[in-house]
Amino acid sequence: MALRHAVLAALLNEELSGYQLAKAFDTGVANFWHALPQQLYAELTRLEGDGLITGREVVQDTRPTKRLFRVTDAGTAEMERFTAAATKPSFIRDDLLVKVQAADHVDTGELIAQLTERAAFARAKVELFGSLLQTMRGDRTEDDHLRHGERIGPYLTCLRGLAFEQENRDWCERSVAILNERRSARARA
């Protein structure tokens, strides 16, 4: 998948400015695709040049003029093509896992600190995703929203992000407990 498809997917439901797109990536899209704001702005320029999105200027009284972008028919067709194409399995590529792999041969003090930090980050993301899910479903139960909600795609991807961060949190916390226990046992021996 290219960044272009993540941007197109984010623009399918509404017009967004580059700033709004960056915020959308920070909160929702980031659970499956990370991009820096400058990458997003460059991709918006490319997508517009390719005719997959169109932009319009909006004059604001107290702020600079902004551009809002929306997906064109060609952009929707590109998303149809992308969605129909075969998907490759995903793989974990994480430097923290490489460090944990080496735990039997290094001092684990710094590793424990990094795992603790990652667990805290995951806890914050769990809270964020929980809040986003609540906002998306409003007063509906999750089952009712999943059956009858208007925008189910963002909800499902947010559910995946939530599950991913819950597992990260749990694994980090368990790893810290195991490494601390083993350090204590070695210190007593």
Side-chain angles (χ1 to χ4, degrees), residues 14-145:
E14 61 184 327
E15 279 187 315
L16 296 174
S17 67
Y19 176 78
Q20 291 168 316
L21 181 66
K23 288 294 183 193
F25 264 70
D26 276 350
T27 57
V29 180
N31 79 77
F32 61 89
W33 195 268
H34 175 73
L36 299 171
Q38 56 267 34
Q39 292 172 304
L40 294 172
Y41 285 105
E43 192 60 43
L44 286 169
T45 300
R46 282 190 289 275
L47 288 167
E48 191 171 25
D50 292 344
L52 301 178
I53 64 171
T54 186
R56 67 180 178 95
E57 289 193 358
V58 176
V59 178
Q60 303 180 101
D61 291 333
T62 59
R63 294 180 160 185
T65 298
K66 70 177 177 180
R67 286 182 53 79
L68 292 177
F69 298 93
R70 68 175 176 78
V71 176
T72 63
D73 290 343
T76 301
E78 172 59 20
M79 283 305 295
E80 285 285 346
R81 185 203 62 72
F82 174 73
T83 303
T87 302
K88 297 176 185 175
S90 59
F91 300 95
I92 297 174
R93 190 174 184 168
D94 186 340
D95 62 340
L96 184 57
L97 289 173
V98 175
K99 294 174 182 184
V100 171
Q101 175 73 21
D104 298 319
H105 305 282
V106 298
D107 177 15
T108 57
E110 183 58 33
L111 186 54
I112 289 168
Q114 290 178 31
L115 284 161
T116 301
E117 183 179 334
R118 179 75 63 91
F121 177 81
R123 279 192 295 279
K125 293 289 280 194
V126 165
E127 248 182 67
L128 173 66
F129 288 135
S131 176
L132 287 171
L133 289 165
Q134 178 63 50
T135 299
M136 282 188 251
R137 71 177 173 264
D139 293 335
R140 289 180 160 171
T141 66
E142 185 164 88
D143 286 342
D144 186 50
H145 182 74

